[in-house]
Amino acid sequence: MAPADTLRAFYTACNKRQYAKAERLVTKDSLQRLASMGTPANLGTYCDDLTEKGTLKRLDILDEAVQGEAAVVRFKFRYESGGVDEGSDRLLRRNGIWEVELMQTGAGASKLP
């Protein structure tokens, strides 16, 4: 699966509130960062915030850049409310599988090395 496909699968699972499925598509480091924030910061809350509680109507992939074991995917969300939001996420390939890196921090966030 390409990085953009993984990202699409992640946000589709989030939008459908299939949090266990979404969890399998993110890095363990991401889950640890969410857990360290404590309640109510968890993957479900994160997903609900980004999808406006499951009202994501469409996800457009704008660009995908891959360099080695890292990728950055730029995207545009379109919500049922008519709202639009653009962003980018970094993905890492671990054991041949692309995983979404949530809540990146520092200079490397959403950028290729």
Side-chain angles (χ1 to χ4, degrees):
M1 191 177 333
D5 296 331
T6 299
L7 192 69
R8 185 178 304 282
F10 172 72
Y11 284 118
T12 297
C14 281
N15 199 50
K16 292 180 179 180
R17 296 183 166 171
Q18 297 172 338
Y19 306 128
K21 184 175 182 179
E23 187 175 308
R24 291 190 297 268
L25 299 168
V26 300
T27 65
K28 292 195 186 325
D29 291 342
S30 296
L31 297 174
Q32 289 172 350
R33 273 192 295 280
L34 281 171
S36 72
M37 296 176 76
T39 305
N42 60 43
L43 187 59
T45 302
Y46 185 87
C47 285
D48 285 350
D49 184 50
L50 288 175
T51 65
E52 292 186 358
K53 296 187 178 171
T55 65
L56 184 60
K57 186 167 95 173
R58 198 166 106 197
L59 169 64
D60 297 324
I61 301 299
L62 304 176
D63 186 47
E64 175 185 82
V66 178
Q67 184 177 348
E69 301 296 305
V72 173
V73 178
R74 288 185 43 246
F75 57 87
K76 182 183 286 188
F77 288 153
R78 297 180 188 277
Y79 299 98
E80 291 174 7
S81 66
V84 175
D85 195 14
E86 286 190 31
S88 64
D89 279 322
R90 181 182 171 108
L91 291 89
L92 302 174
R93 186 169 35 207
R94 303 239 168 101
N95 299 318
I97 298 170
W98 288 103
E99 298 176 332
V100 182
E101 180 73 6
L102 303 176
M103 301 171 50
Q104 311 100 21
T105 58
S110 294
K111 295 182 182 168
L112 290 173

